[in-house]
Amino acid sequence: MPILAQRRATKETADAVARSAERLDGAARLVAMLEDKADNERIAPGGLAAVRAVAETRAGELDDAWKEV
């Protein structure tokens, strides 16, 4: 594999890992917010559905990012 292609593949891998880390951090923040809310009040089904939708979207984006590598 030519050097330029190796560098491009390495950069794509690094970018995919960075995107994955950002998405995982976002999901962790959502879970932490949900836990904080659960300590003080009841969580509405709509709130849970919203968190679930965001987490599923992020998981799908994470899968897509790794497919690019």
Side-chain angles (χ1 to χ4, degrees), residues 4-17:
L4 184 57
Q6 287 176 341
R7 287 184 182 164
R8 188 174 302 127
T10 301
K11 181 175 180 352
E12 289 172 2
T13 300
D15 290 346
V17 169

Side-chain angles (χ1 to χ4, degrees), residues 30-47:
L30 284 173
V31 170
M33 288 175 13
L34 193 61
E35 288 173 340
D36 288 344
K37 185 175 182 178
D39 286 341
N40 300 320
E41 59 188 274
R42 186 167 185 259
I43 299 169

